[in-house]
C-alpha cells in the first residue's frame, strides 16, 4: 500500500492498526504521511535540510507516541500538531547553535548549518511565537494551526481538547499579540 493514494479514512485505519501494535501498518503510515509532515515542517523551516531534520524528528515522535492519538479526530490533524512542534523544536535548537557559534563579522567561515536558522526560516513569525509563548503559551499552538496551516477551528478544538469558543478566543487574542510583533513595532 503506497502513501500517495490513501483517503483520510484509510489513513485513519492505518493509524488505528499502528496504534494497536501492527508494525507493518506503522511503516505504511509513516510512508504515507511523510510528504505531508515535510510540507508542514517547510511551512516553518523553508531551508530544505532543516525541514527534513524536523520531519524526521516528527516521524520518530509519531512512531513512539502513536499510542497517545485518541482517535477522536483525523490522524492527520494530530500529525500536523506533532510536525509543527517538531519544526519549532528544530528551530529552537538551531537558534541556540547559531548563537553559540556566532563568529566575529570579519570571519567568513561560519557554518551554514548554524546560519540557516537565520537565512532559511520564517524568523519573524517564529520570534513572535517565542515572545507570545512566554506569557501566553495557550495562544501559540491554536494560532499556528489556524493561520499557518489552515486547520479549521473545529479541527483545532478537537486536537487541543478545548471548546470551540475557547479556541476562537485564543486565536483572536494570539493575533492581537502577534500583529505588532510581525510589524516590527512591539
Amino acid at each position: 500500500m503506497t502513501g500517495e493514494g490513501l483517503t483520510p479514512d484509510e489513513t485513519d485505519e492505518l493509524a488505528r492498526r499502528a496504534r494497536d501494535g501492527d508494525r507493518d501498518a506503522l511503516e505504511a503510515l509513516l510512508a504515507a504521511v511523510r510528504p505531508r509532515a515535510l510540507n508542514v515542517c517547510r511551512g516553518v523551516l523553508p531551508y530544505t535540510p532543516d525541514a527534513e531534520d524536523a520531519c524526521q524528528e516528527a516521524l520518530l515522535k509519531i512512531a513512539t507516541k502513536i499510542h497517545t492519538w485518541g482517535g477522536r479526530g483525523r490522524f492527520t490533524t494530530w500529525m500536523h500538531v506533532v510536525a509543527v512542534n517538531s519544526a519549532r523544536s528544530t528551530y529552537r535548537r538551531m537558534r541556540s547553535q547559531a548563537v553559540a557559534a556566532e563568529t566575529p563579522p570579519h570571519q567568513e567561515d561560519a557554518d551554514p548549518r548554524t546560519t540557516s536558522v537565520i537565512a532559511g526560516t520564517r524568523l519573524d513569525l517564529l520570534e513572535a511565537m517565542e515572545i507570545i509563548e512566554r506569557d501566553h503559551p495557550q495562544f501559540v499552538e491554536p494560532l499556528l494551526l489556524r493561520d499557518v496551516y489552515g486547520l479549521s477551528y473545529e479541527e483545532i478544538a478537537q486536537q487541543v481538547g478545548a471548546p470551540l469558543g475557547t479556541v476562537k478566543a485564543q486565536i483572536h487574542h494570539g493575533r492581537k499579540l502577534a500583529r505588532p510583533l510581525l510589524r516590527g513595532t512591539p
Side-chain angles (χ1 to χ4, degrees):
M1 189 182 291
T2 66
E4 292 154 19
L6 295 180
T7 67
D9 289 338
E10 290 170 331
T11 302
D12 288 350
E13 180 55 33
L14 261 182
R16 281 186 200 89
R17 289 180 23 223
R19 183 187 61 198
D20 295 340
D22 183 335
R23 296 196 62 75
D24 290 336
L26 179 61
E27 285 184 34
L29 178 67
L30 294 175
V33 300
R34 186 186 189 287
R36 191 169 185 167
L38 183 57
N39 282 337
V40 169
C41 293
R42 280 187 181 135
V44 175
L45 301 163
Y47 182 68
T48 299
D50 299 338
E52 288 172 352
D53 286 351
C55 178
Q56 193 63 28
E57 181 182 312
L59 294 175
L60 285 170
K61 284 187 179 168
I62 289 168
T64 58
K65 304 278 187 187
I66 193 159
H67 65 279
T68 65
W69 173 57
R72 295 183 322 265
R74 290 280 181 204
F75 173 78
T76 52
T77 303
W78 180 80
M79 185 246 15
H80 241 93
V81 173
V82 173
V84 166
N85 289 338
S86 292
R88 291 179 67 221
S89 173
T90 297
Y91 165 74
R92 284 186 193 115
R93 184 174 54 252
M94 291 170 51
R95 186 180 64 190
S96 295
Q97 290 171 355
V99 168
E102 274 186 359
T103 56
H106 63 278
Q107 288 187 346
E108 298 294 326
D109 58 354
D111 181 357
R113 285 284 307 141
T114 58
T115 57
S116 67
V117 70
I118 296 163
T121 63
R122 299 174 69 170
L123 189 60
D124 57 341
L125 176 65
L126 292 171
E127 289 296 329
M129 294 303 105
E130 293 289 313
I131 291 167
I132 293 169
E133 192 168 40
R134 288 182 204 142
D135 295 323
H136 306 286
Q138 72 277 17
F139 298 161
V140 173
E141 187 175 344
L143 184 60
L144 286 173
L145 291 173
R146 179 69 183 154
D147 289 351
V148 176
Y149 298 103
L151 269 62
S152 71
Y153 291 109
E154 292 79 11
E155 287 175 309
I156 297 166
Q158 194 170 48
Q159 187 57 46
V160 300
L164 183 60
T166 300
V167 166
K168 287 181 177 182
Q170 289 173 332
I171 292 168
H172 172 75
H173 293 301
R175 285 175 178 159
K176 282 176 61 176
L177 292 170
R179 273 187 203 109
L181 296 171
L182 294 173
R183 286 187 194 125
T185 55

